[in-house]
Amino acid sequence: MNILVTGAKGMVGTALVNNLKNIRDGKNKTRPNLRIEEIFEYDVDTSPQLLDEYCKKANFVFHLAGVNRPEDPEEFMKGNRDFASELLNTLKKHQNRAAVMLSSSIQATLSGRFGDSAYGRSKKAGEELFFQYSEETGAKVAVYRFPNLMGHSRPKYNSAVSTFCWAVANDAPFTVNDRSTELELLYIDDLLEGMFDLLEGKEQHCTFDGVKTVPNADGRYCYVPTTYKVTLGEIVDLLQTFKEQPKTLMMPKMPAHSFAKRLYSLYLTYLPKEQFKYALKMNADDRGSFTELVHSEDFGQVSINISKPGITKGQHWHNSKWELFIVVAGHGLIRERNINTGETVEFEVSGEKIEAVHMIPGWTHSIINLSDKEDLVTVMTCNEIFDPNHPDTFFEPV
Protein backbone atom coordinates (compact mmCIF):
# COMPACT_ATOMS: atom_id res chain seq x y z
CA MET A 1 0.00 0.00 0.00
CA ASN A 2 1.24 3.49 -0.93
CA ILE A 3 -0.06 6.26 1.33
CA LEU A 4 -0.23 9.99 0.60
CA VAL A 5 -0.38 12.38 3.58
CA THR A 6 -1.15 16.02 2.89
CA GLY A 7 -0.34 18.48 5.65
CA ALA A 8 2.48 16.10 6.52
CA LYS A 9 4.33 18.64 8.67
CA GLY A 10 1.40 19.65 10.84
CA MET A 11 0.71 18.24 14.29
CA VAL A 12 -1.40 15.32 13.06
CA GLY A 13 0.60 14.84 9.86
CA THR A 14 3.93 14.59 11.65
CA ALA A 15 2.64 12.06 14.16
CA LEU A 16 0.84 10.05 11.48
CA VAL A 17 3.86 9.88 9.17
CA ASN A 18 6.19 8.86 12.01
CA ASN A 19 3.88 6.05 13.06
CA LEU A 20 3.09 4.86 9.55
CA LYS A 21 6.84 4.46 9.16
CA ASN A 22 6.92 2.40 12.35
CA ILE A 23 4.38 0.03 10.81
CA ARG A 24 6.13 0.00 7.46
CA ASP A 25 9.50 -0.76 9.05
CA GLY A 26 8.18 -3.48 11.37
CA LYS A 27 8.81 -1.48 14.55
CA ASN A 28 5.10 -1.43 15.39
CA LYS A 29 3.79 -4.98 15.24
CA THR A 30 0.28 -4.24 16.53
CA ARG A 31 -1.15 -3.97 13.01
CA PRO A 32 0.05 -7.14 11.25
CA ASN A 33 -2.57 -6.81 8.50
CA LEU A 34 -1.17 -3.51 7.24
CA ARG A 35 1.43 -3.66 4.48
CA ILE A 36 2.86 -0.23 3.76
CA GLU A 37 5.37 0.31 0.97
CA GLU A 38 5.74 4.03 0.31
CA ILE A 39 4.64 7.09 2.29
CA PHE A 40 4.32 10.29 0.27
CA GLU A 41 4.62 13.44 2.39
CA TYR A 42 3.05 16.59 0.94
CA ASP A 43 3.06 19.97 2.65
CA VAL A 44 2.98 23.64 1.84
CA ASP A 45 6.65 23.73 0.85
CA THR A 46 6.48 20.57 -1.31
CA SER A 47 6.88 21.02 -5.05
CA PRO A 48 3.38 21.13 -6.63
CA GLN A 49 4.60 18.78 -9.36
CA LEU A 50 4.96 16.03 -6.77
CA LEU A 51 1.23 16.13 -6.01
CA ASP A 52 0.56 14.77 -9.49
CA GLU A 53 3.05 11.95 -9.01
CA TYR A 54 1.75 11.09 -5.56
CA CYS A 55 -1.90 11.08 -6.67
CA LYS A 56 -1.00 8.68 -9.44
CA LYS A 57 0.69 6.16 -7.13
CA ALA A 58 -1.30 6.43 -3.88
CA ASN A 59 -3.58 3.64 -2.71
CA PHE A 60 -4.83 5.67 0.25
CA VAL A 61 -4.91 9.41 0.95
CA PHE A 62 -4.97 11.16 4.32
CA HIS A 63 -5.99 14.74 3.56
CA LEU A 64 -4.90 16.69 6.64
CA ALA A 65 -3.81 19.94 4.99
CA GLY A 66 -5.79 23.00 5.92
CA VAL A 67 -5.74 26.61 7.08
CA ASN A 68 -6.45 27.47 10.71
CA ARG A 69 -5.53 31.10 11.29
CA PRO A 70 -4.98 33.09 8.09
CA GLU A 71 -4.51 36.84 8.11
CA ASP A 72 -7.32 37.17 5.58
CA PRO A 73 -10.53 35.21 6.31
CA GLU A 74 -10.91 34.57 2.58
CA GLU A 75 -7.86 32.31 2.87
CA PHE A 76 -10.03 29.77 4.71
CA MET A 77 -11.83 28.85 1.49
CA LYS A 78 -8.64 28.81 -0.51
CA GLY A 79 -6.85 26.56 1.94
CA ASN A 80 -9.69 24.32 3.09
CA ARG A 81 -11.86 24.02 -0.01
CA ASP A 82 -9.80 24.96 -3.05
CA PHE A 83 -6.82 22.74 -2.27
CA ALA A 84 -9.19 19.88 -1.51
CA SER A 85 -10.67 20.40 -4.96
CA GLU A 86 -7.21 20.35 -6.53
CA LEU A 87 -6.36 17.10 -4.73
CA LEU A 88 -9.56 15.38 -5.83
CA ASN A 89 -9.25 16.60 -9.41
CA THR A 90 -5.70 15.23 -9.57
CA LEU A 91 -6.92 11.84 -8.38
CA LYS A 92 -9.65 11.99 -11.05
CA LYS A 93 -7.07 12.84 -13.68
CA HIS A 94 -5.30 9.56 -13.00
CA GLN A 95 -8.59 7.67 -12.55
CA ASN A 96 -7.30 6.75 -9.12
CA ARG A 97 -10.13 5.59 -6.88
CA ALA A 98 -7.97 5.32 -3.78
CA ALA A 99 -9.82 5.74 -0.49
CA VAL A 100 -9.56 9.28 0.88
CA MET A 101 -9.78 10.48 4.46
CA LEU A 102 -10.67 14.12 5.19
CA SER A 103 -9.74 15.86 8.40
CA SER A 104 -12.63 18.23 9.09
CA SER A 105 -13.78 19.93 12.26
CA ILE A 106 -16.77 19.91 14.56
CA GLN A 107 -16.99 23.60 13.63
CA ALA A 108 -18.33 22.54 10.23
CA THR A 109 -21.59 21.56 11.94
CA LEU A 110 -23.98 24.25 10.71
CA SER A 111 -26.28 23.87 13.70
CA GLY A 112 -23.40 24.25 16.11
CA ARG A 113 -22.21 27.41 17.80
CA PHE A 114 -19.36 27.77 15.29
CA GLY A 115 -21.54 27.23 12.21
CA ASP A 116 -21.40 30.81 11.00
CA SER A 117 -17.60 31.18 11.18
CA ALA A 118 -15.52 31.49 8.03
CA TYR A 119 -13.49 28.51 9.21
CA GLY A 120 -16.59 26.39 9.78
CA ARG A 121 -18.03 27.33 6.37
CA SER A 122 -14.77 26.42 4.63
CA LYS A 123 -14.63 23.04 6.38
CA LYS A 124 -18.25 22.33 5.48
CA ALA A 125 -17.54 23.22 1.84
CA GLY A 126 -14.58 20.84 1.83
CA GLU A 127 -16.76 18.05 3.22
CA GLU A 128 -19.31 18.48 0.46
CA LEU A 129 -16.58 18.26 -2.17
CA PHE A 130 -15.51 14.89 -0.79
CA PHE A 131 -19.03 13.51 -0.58
CA GLN A 132 -19.70 14.61 -4.18
CA TYR A 133 -16.42 13.06 -5.24
CA SER A 134 -17.44 9.75 -3.70
CA GLU A 135 -20.79 9.82 -5.52
CA GLU A 136 -19.11 10.62 -8.85
CA THR A 137 -16.26 8.12 -8.68
CA GLY A 138 -17.38 5.42 -6.27
CA ALA A 139 -14.21 5.96 -4.23
CA LYS A 140 -14.42 5.43 -0.48
CA VAL A 141 -14.43 8.71 1.44
CA ALA A 142 -14.09 8.95 5.23
CA VAL A 143 -14.87 12.39 6.67
CA TYR A 144 -13.90 12.99 10.30
CA ARG A 145 -15.20 16.01 12.20
CA PHE A 146 -12.58 16.17 14.92
CA PRO A 147 -13.16 17.97 18.23
CA ASN A 148 -10.28 19.89 19.82
CA LEU A 149 -7.07 18.00 19.18
CA MET A 150 -4.46 17.43 21.86
CA GLY A 151 -0.87 16.84 20.79
CA HIS A 152 2.45 18.61 20.49
CA SER A 153 1.81 21.75 18.47
CA ARG A 154 2.91 25.34 18.35
CA PRO A 155 1.80 27.24 21.49
CA LYS A 156 -0.28 30.41 21.16
CA TYR A 157 -1.66 29.13 17.88
CA ASN A 158 -4.78 26.98 17.79
CA SER A 159 -4.60 24.75 20.87
CA ALA A 160 -5.32 26.07 24.35
CA VAL A 161 -3.93 22.87 25.88
CA SER A 162 -0.61 23.26 24.06
CA THR A 163 -0.44 26.89 25.13
CA PHE A 164 -1.07 26.00 28.79
CA CYS A 165 1.48 23.16 28.70
CA TRP A 166 4.13 25.41 27.20
CA ALA A 167 3.40 28.29 29.59
CA VAL A 168 3.51 26.17 32.75
CA ALA A 169 6.64 24.30 31.66
CA ASN A 170 8.43 27.53 30.74
CA ASP A 171 7.21 29.76 33.60
CA ALA A 172 5.38 32.00 31.14
CA PRO A 173 2.19 33.92 32.02
CA PHE A 174 -1.15 32.66 30.78
CA THR A 175 -4.80 33.53 31.26
CA VAL A 176 -7.82 31.34 31.89
CA ASN A 177 -10.94 33.39 31.25
CA ASP A 178 -13.42 30.84 32.61
CA ARG A 179 -12.22 27.81 34.58
CA SER A 180 -15.58 26.09 34.09
CA THR A 181 -15.34 26.08 30.28
CA GLU A 182 -15.44 22.45 29.13
CA LEU A 183 -13.50 21.10 26.17
CA GLU A 184 -13.89 17.82 24.35
CA LEU A 185 -10.37 16.68 23.54
CA LEU A 186 -9.05 13.99 21.21
CA TYR A 187 -5.49 12.90 22.07
CA ILE A 188 -3.10 12.35 19.19
CA ASP A 189 -2.34 8.71 20.01
CA ASP A 190 -6.07 7.87 20.05
CA LEU A 191 -6.50 9.69 16.76
CA LEU A 192 -3.70 7.62 15.22
CA GLU A 193 -5.30 4.38 16.36
CA GLY A 194 -8.48 5.55 14.68
CA MET A 195 -6.57 6.16 11.45
CA PHE A 196 -5.03 2.69 11.59
CA ASP A 197 -8.52 1.27 12.12
CA LEU A 198 -9.58 3.15 9.00
CA LEU A 199 -6.73 1.64 6.99
CA GLU A 200 -7.92 -1.78 8.12
CA GLY A 201 -11.54 -1.00 7.22
CA LYS A 202 -12.65 -0.93 10.86
CA GLU A 203 -13.60 2.75 11.11
CA GLN A 204 -16.63 3.80 13.19
CA HIS A 205 -19.46 5.90 11.76
CA CYS A 206 -21.69 8.56 13.24
CA THR A 207 -24.17 11.34 12.66
CA PHE A 208 -24.33 14.69 14.48
CA ASP A 209 -26.94 16.18 16.77
CA GLY A 210 -25.72 19.75 16.75
CA VAL A 211 -22.09 19.32 17.75
CA LYS A 212 -22.76 16.05 19.56
CA THR A 213 -21.43 12.85 18.00
CA VAL A 214 -24.08 10.14 17.69
CA PRO A 215 -22.72 6.67 16.86
CA ASN A 216 -24.55 5.30 13.84
CA ALA A 217 -23.35 2.40 11.69
CA ASP A 218 -25.03 4.03 8.66
CA GLY A 219 -23.80 7.51 9.48
CA ARG A 220 -22.28 9.76 6.86
CA TYR A 221 -19.30 10.69 9.01
CA CYS A 222 -16.55 8.79 10.80
CA TYR A 223 -15.29 9.41 14.31
CA VAL A 224 -12.71 8.32 16.87
CA PRO A 225 -14.61 7.16 19.98
CA THR A 226 -12.03 7.95 22.68
CA THR A 227 -12.28 11.60 23.75
CA TYR A 228 -12.00 13.44 27.06
CA LYS A 229 -14.33 16.10 28.42
CA VAL A 230 -12.49 18.30 30.87
CA THR A 231 -12.66 21.90 32.09
CA LEU A 232 -9.96 24.49 31.66
CA GLY A 233 -9.65 24.66 35.43
CA GLU A 234 -8.99 20.93 35.67
CA ILE A 235 -6.33 21.20 32.96
CA VAL A 236 -4.34 24.00 34.55
CA ASP A 237 -4.62 22.47 38.03
CA LEU A 238 -3.15 19.21 36.75
CA LEU A 239 -0.38 21.09 34.98
CA GLN A 240 0.56 22.89 38.19
CA THR A 241 0.90 19.55 40.00
CA PHE A 242 3.10 18.29 37.15
CA LYS A 243 5.22 21.41 37.50
CA GLU A 244 5.78 20.74 41.21
CA GLN A 245 6.56 17.03 40.82
CA PRO A 246 10.39 17.38 40.82
CA LYS A 247 10.09 19.22 44.15
CA THR A 248 7.34 17.18 45.83
CA LEU A 249 8.22 13.85 44.13
CA MET A 250 4.45 13.28 44.08
CA MET A 251 3.05 11.71 40.93
CA PRO A 252 -0.64 12.54 40.40
CA LYS A 253 -3.02 9.65 39.87
CA MET A 254 -2.75 8.59 36.25
CA PRO A 255 -4.84 5.48 35.58
CA ALA A 256 -4.47 3.73 32.25
CA HIS A 257 -5.98 5.72 29.36
CA SER A 258 -6.87 8.61 31.69
CA PHE A 259 -6.78 12.25 30.67
CA ALA A 260 -4.15 12.94 33.34
CA LYS A 261 -1.85 10.32 31.85
CA ARG A 262 -2.27 11.82 28.37
CA LEU A 263 -1.73 15.36 29.63
CA TYR A 264 1.43 14.49 31.55
CA SER A 265 3.00 12.97 28.44
CA LEU A 266 2.11 16.09 26.46
CA TYR A 267 3.36 18.43 29.19
CA LEU A 268 6.78 16.78 29.19
CA THR A 269 7.23 17.58 25.48
CA TYR A 270 7.24 21.30 26.33
CA LEU A 271 9.92 21.12 29.04
CA PRO A 272 13.00 23.25 28.33
CA LYS A 273 15.99 20.99 27.73
CA GLU A 274 17.69 22.17 30.92
CA GLN A 275 14.72 20.80 32.88
CA PHE A 276 15.05 17.28 31.48
CA LYS A 277 17.24 16.65 34.54
CA TYR A 278 16.49 17.61 38.15
CA ALA A 279 18.29 17.05 41.43
CA LEU A 280 17.16 14.63 44.14
CA LYS A 281 17.89 15.01 47.84
CA MET A 282 20.52 12.46 48.92
CA ASN A 283 20.48 11.81 52.64
CA ALA A 284 24.12 10.83 53.04
CA ASP A 285 26.29 9.88 56.01
CA ASP A 286 29.32 7.67 56.67
CA ARG A 287 27.18 4.55 56.14
CA GLY A 288 26.10 5.50 52.60
CA SER A 289 23.00 7.31 51.38
CA PHE A 290 19.23 7.09 51.06
CA THR A 291 17.38 8.95 48.29
CA GLU A 292 13.64 9.09 47.69
CA LEU A 293 12.86 8.96 43.96
CA VAL A 294 9.10 9.21 43.51
CA HIS A 295 5.95 9.39 45.62
CA SER A 296 2.43 8.22 44.83
CA GLU A 297 -0.82 8.23 46.78
CA ASP A 298 -1.52 4.77 45.38
CA PHE A 299 1.75 2.85 45.79
CA GLY A 300 3.72 4.91 48.31
CA GLN A 301 7.32 5.66 47.43
CA VAL A 302 10.35 4.32 45.61
CA SER A 303 13.85 4.98 46.94
CA ILE A 304 17.49 4.08 46.35
CA ASN A 305 19.60 2.94 49.28
CA ILE A 306 23.40 2.76 49.02
CA SER A 307 25.29 0.92 51.76
CA LYS A 308 29.05 1.17 52.02
CA PRO A 309 31.17 -1.99 52.48
CA GLY A 310 30.45 -3.87 55.71
CA ILE A 311 27.55 -1.60 56.71
CA THR A 312 24.28 -2.89 58.20
CA LYS A 313 21.11 -0.87 57.71
CA GLY A 314 17.50 -1.29 58.83
CA GLN A 315 17.15 -2.96 62.23
CA HIS A 316 13.49 -1.96 62.57
CA TRP A 317 9.96 -3.28 62.11
CA HIS A 318 6.54 -1.96 61.09
CA ASN A 319 2.95 -2.61 62.15
CA SER A 320 1.32 -2.28 58.73
CA LYS A 321 3.93 -0.78 56.47
CA TRP A 322 5.56 -3.21 54.04
CA GLU A 323 8.53 -2.88 51.74
CA LEU A 324 10.27 -4.60 48.85
CA PHE A 325 14.09 -4.66 48.77
CA ILE A 326 15.63 -5.21 45.35
CA VAL A 327 19.44 -5.32 45.23
CA VAL A 328 20.63 -4.12 41.82
CA ALA A 329 24.40 -3.91 42.49
CA GLY A 330 26.73 -5.48 45.01
CA HIS A 331 26.44 -8.47 47.35
CA GLY A 332 24.34 -8.43 50.50
CA LEU A 333 22.42 -10.34 53.13
CA ILE A 334 18.81 -9.57 54.13
CA ARG A 335 17.75 -10.87 57.55
CA GLU A 336 14.24 -10.86 59.06
CA ARG A 337 12.88 -11.97 62.46
CA ASN A 338 9.28 -12.25 63.60
CA ILE A 339 9.10 -10.09 66.74
CA ASN A 340 6.44 -12.35 68.29
CA THR A 341 7.61 -15.88 67.49
CA GLY A 342 11.33 -15.32 67.03
CA GLU A 343 11.25 -17.14 63.69
CA THR A 344 14.04 -15.95 61.38
CA VAL A 345 14.84 -16.02 57.67
CA GLU A 346 17.88 -14.94 55.63
CA PHE A 347 18.34 -14.18 51.93
CA GLU A 348 21.69 -13.71 50.23
CA VAL A 349 21.16 -11.20 47.43
CA SER A 350 23.24 -9.92 44.55
CA GLY A 351 23.02 -7.53 41.61
CA GLU A 352 24.04 -10.45 39.41
CA LYS A 353 20.69 -12.14 40.11
CA ILE A 354 18.07 -9.50 40.75
CA GLU A 355 15.32 -10.62 43.12
CA ALA A 356 12.66 -8.87 45.20
CA VAL A 357 12.41 -9.61 48.92
CA HIS A 358 9.36 -8.70 51.02
CA MET A 359 9.83 -6.93 54.35
CA ILE A 360 6.81 -8.33 56.18
CA PRO A 361 4.86 -6.29 58.79
CA GLY A 362 5.75 -7.52 62.28
CA TRP A 363 9.19 -8.79 61.18
CA THR A 364 12.21 -6.70 62.12
CA HIS A 365 14.69 -6.63 59.25
CA SER A 366 18.17 -5.55 58.20
CA ILE A 367 20.33 -5.50 55.11
CA ILE A 368 24.08 -6.06 55.31
CA ASN A 369 26.68 -5.23 52.68
CA LEU A 370 28.83 -8.38 52.54
CA SER A 371 31.46 -6.83 50.30
CA ASP A 372 34.64 -5.28 51.67
CA LYS A 373 35.15 -3.00 48.68
CA GLU A 374 31.91 -2.48 46.72
CA ASP A 375 28.80 -0.47 47.55
CA LEU A 376 25.50 -2.31 47.92
CA VAL A 377 22.76 -0.60 45.88
CA THR A 378 19.16 -1.44 46.75
CA VAL A 379 15.89 -0.23 45.21
CA MET A 380 13.36 0.01 48.01
CA THR A 381 9.62 0.33 47.45
CA CYS A 382 7.22 1.05 50.28
CA ASN A 383 3.43 0.99 50.30
CA GLU A 384 3.17 4.41 51.91
CA ILE A 385 5.01 7.72 51.87
CA PHE A 386 7.08 8.27 55.00
CA ASP A 387 5.25 10.44 57.52
CA PRO A 388 7.55 11.67 60.31
CA ASN A 389 4.50 12.28 62.51
CA HIS A 390 3.32 8.67 62.10
CA PRO A 391 6.40 6.75 60.96
CA ASP A 392 5.25 3.22 61.85
CA THR A 393 8.96 2.37 62.21
CA PHE A 394 10.37 0.92 65.43
CA PHE A 395 14.03 0.15 66.16
CA GLU A 396 14.85 -3.42 67.09
CA PRO A 397 17.94 -5.38 66.07
CA VAL A 398 17.32 -8.55 64.11
Side-chain angles (χ1 to χ4, degrees):
M1 178 187 297
N2 297 328
I3 297 176
L4 166 59
V5 180
T6 72
K9 292 185 179 179
M11 179 189 80
V12 177
T14 298
L16 180 60
V17 168
N18 287 341
N19 285 278
L20 287 172
K21 290 177 179 177
N22 284 340
I23 293 175
R24 180 196 65 189
D25 300 339
K27 299 175 182 177
N28 179 350
K29 302 183 186 301
T30 64
R31 301 282 176 161
N33 295 326
L34 292 181
R35 297 289 185 270
I36 299 173
E37 296 177 5
E38 292 194 72
I39 302 168
F40 306 127
E41 302 176 43
Y42 190 89
D43 208 88
V44 65
D45 57 355
T46 307
S47 170
Q49 287 76 18
L50 287 176
L51 183 64
D52 187 81
E53 176 185 342
Y54 295 162
C55 285
K56 181 179 180 180
K57 296 180 178 179
N59 305 115
F60 195 102
V61 180
F62 287 102
H63 182 47
L64 308 176
V67 174
N68 294 311
R69 286 193 174 186
E71 295 182 4
D72 184 350
E74 292 185 1
E75 291 294 314
F76 278 124
M77 280 296 180
K78 182 177 180 180
N80 295 330
R81 182 195 63 188
D82 295 355
F83 179 67
S85 179
E86 180 183 354
L87 170 69
L88 297 177
N89 285 334
T90 307
L91 289 169
K92 284 182 184 178
K93 171 186 170 182
H94 294 290
Q95 298 183 340
N96 186 346
R97 295 185 180 182
V100 184
M101 172 269 177
L102 171 65
S103 171
S104 187
S105 167
I106 199 68
Q107 295 187 35
T109 306
L110 293 179
S111 60
R113 51 182 173 149
F114 300 107
D116 294 330
S117 70
Y119 177 70
R121 290 194 298 272
S122 69
K123 283 295 189 181
K124 179 66 175 177
E127 291 178 359
E128 292 306 318
L129 281 177
F130 275 76
F131 289 131
Q132 292 170 12
Y133 171 78
S134 180
E135 292 176 1
E136 293 174 10
T137 66
K140 177 178 177 178
V141 165
V143 176
Y144 286 78
R145 283 180 171 175
F146 291 132
N148 296 287
L149 300 183
M150 178 179 163
H152 189 89
S153 62
R154 185 181 0 150
K156 301 182 181 180
Y157 183 56
N158 65 342
S159 169
V161 178
S162 290
T163 299
F164 293 151
C165 286
W166 171 83
V168 172
N170 290 272
D171 298 313
F174 63 92
T175 301
V176 178
N177 294 323
D178 184 354
R179 286 177 52 89
S180 67
T181 298
E182 185 179 72
L183 300 179
E184 182 179 8
L185 295 165
L186 172 59
Y187 184 61
I188 188 65
D189 285 8
D190 297 315
L191 188 158
L192 294 180
E193 291 302 316
M195 296 304 96
F196 298 155
D197 284 344
L198 174 61
L199 285 174
E200 292 183 337
K202 299 186 296 186
E203 70 278 7
Q204 299 192 47
H205 291 260
C206 70
T207 54
F208 285 92
D209 179 9
V211 296
K212 183 180 178 181
T213 302
V214 181
N216 183 338
D218 298 320
R220 193 184 195 193
Y221 296 90
C222 299
Y223 77 111
V224 177
T226 304
T227 60
Y228 302 91
K229 291 185 178 180
V230 59
T231 66
L232 295 180
E234 290 169 334
I235 293 171
V236 296
D237 288 348
L238 273 172
L239 289 174
Q240 294 294 353
T241 64
F242 299 160
K243 177 73 173 180
E244 294 300 310
Q245 192 278 327
K247 299 177 183 176
T248 65
L249 303 182
M250 180 64 73
M251 281 290 183
K253 292 185 177 181
M254 293 186 285
H257 310 297
S258 66
F259 174 75
K261 185 174 182 179
R262 302 303 202 194
L263 184 65
Y264 189 64
S265 294
L266 181 60
Y267 166 77
L268 291 177
T269 69
Y270 289 94
L271 282 180
K273 290 188 290 294
E274 60 271 18
Q275 290 187 32
F276 285 11
K277 179 180 73 172
Y278 59 92
L280 295 167
K281 181 183 178 183
M282 293 182 66
N283 301 290
D285 56 26
D286 56 2
R287 302 177 304 152
S289 65
F290 180 79
T291 306
E292 296 178 31
L293 303 181
V294 65
H295 290 175
S296 166
E297 292 180 5
D298 292 323
F299 65 75
Q301 69 182 43
V302 180
S303 309
I304 287 286
N305 184 76
I306 299 177
S307 302
K308 292 184 178 180
I311 292 297
T312 298
K313 286 190 175 183
Q315 305 282 46
H316 59 241
W317 63 276
H318 315 290
N319 281 306
S320 296
K321 184 185 298 185
W322 56 263
E323 299 166 296
L324 278 176
F325 287 5
I326 306 167
V327 168
V328 296
H331 180 206
L333 179 67
I334 293 173
R335 302 176 65 217
E336 299 184 60
R337 176 175 59 82
N338 187 305
I339 63 168
N340 295 313
T341 67
E343 182 180 2
T344 63
V345 66
E346 293 185 350
F347 301 98
E348 194 168 343
V349 288
S350 168
E352 295 183 359
K353 182 183 180 182
I354 296 179
E355 301 170 300
V357 182
H358 280 291
M359 302 300 110
I360 307 298
W363 290 63
T364 187
H365 50 271
S366 65
I367 183 167
I368 306 166
N369 186 348
L370 297 178
S371 173
D372 58 2
K373 59 181 179 180
E374 294 181 345
D375 286 346
L376 180 67
V377 182
T378 308
V379 176
M380 295 182 173
T381 68
C382 182
N383 68 316
E384 61 185 47
I385 300 167
F386 180 74
D387 180 356
N389 294 318
H390 300 89
D392 188 12
T393 300
F394 310 97
F395 175 77
E396 184 166 338
V398 177

